[in-house]
Amino acid sequence: ERIGHLVLTTNVTTDGEMVESILQYCNTHVRKIIEGIPHFHNPNWDSLKDTWLHYFDANIFDEQFFERDLKALVSRFRSQSIMSLHDFQAYNCDFTCVGGWMKHKGRLTTHEHNHYFWAGL
């Protein structure tokens, strides 16, 4: 629904425009998946969207992460050394995905969020 709203508010109207324009809002992993879907190369917005929702199961988005997921992430990174900027960026990106989502949903306080972040370093 949000994607449909986005393309409508940006005056994107053809299937080709919709299919192409959505990529700018996706990370590299998601882009690769979308680019592998046949409806991307033969633009069909509704079919692409249906296939995409199947892959990413949008219905469970509100139950995406739990505290056990954050603890596992922190534990995994704590057990390996962060020796480079690339290692830190990988941790920061993964932590932002899980911890940021949990904080936004009210499942973590700011204090808990900060505590978990530093615990993983």
Side-chain angles (χ1 to χ4, degrees):
E1 291 176 32
R2 293 178 190 166
I3 294 168
H5 178 72
L6 176 67
V7 296
L8 289 176
T9 59
T10 57
N11 294 322
V12 174
T13 56
T14 68
D15 282 355
E17 290 174 329
M18 287 191 261
V19 166
E20 279 293 324
S21 67
I22 199 62
L23 292 180
Q24 65 185 312
Y25 300 101
C26 302
N27 66 31
T28 303
H29 175 72
V30 173
R31 285 177 66 111
K32 288 179 181 178
I33 293 170
I34 290 173
E35 289 171 347
I37 297 172
H39 307 295
F40 174 79
H41 298 286
N42 298 315
N44 183 319
W45 174 250
D46 290 331
S47 296
L48 177 69
K49 185 175 68 171
D50 291 343
T51 304
W52 181 7
L53 292 175
H54 170 75
Y55 278 112
F56 296 103
D57 201 358
N59 296 327
I60 61 169
F61 186 71
D62 286 338
E63 296 301 322
Q64 189 168 1
F65 297 112
F66 299 92
E67 192 168 4
R68 68 177 176 265
D69 300 315
L70 188 59
K71 286 180 179 179
L73 172 74
V74 167
S75 178
R76 180 169 48 97
F77 276 93
R78 188 179 6 182
S79 68
Q80 55 190 343
S81 298
I82 296 179
M83 302 297 288
S84 67
L85 179 58
H86 181 265
D87 294 342
F88 175 75
Q89 288 172 331
Y91 172 67
N92 192 35
C93 186
D94 288 354
F95 185 87
T96 298
C97 179
V98 179
W101 182 89
M102 291 180 68
K103 182 180 174 195
H104 173 73
K105 292 293 186 174
R107 296 186 180 180
L108 288 178
T109 65
T110 299
H111 176 76
E112 291 168 326
H113 180 266
N114 294 343
H115 171 78
Y116 277 117
F117 179 81
W118 290 106
L121 296 177

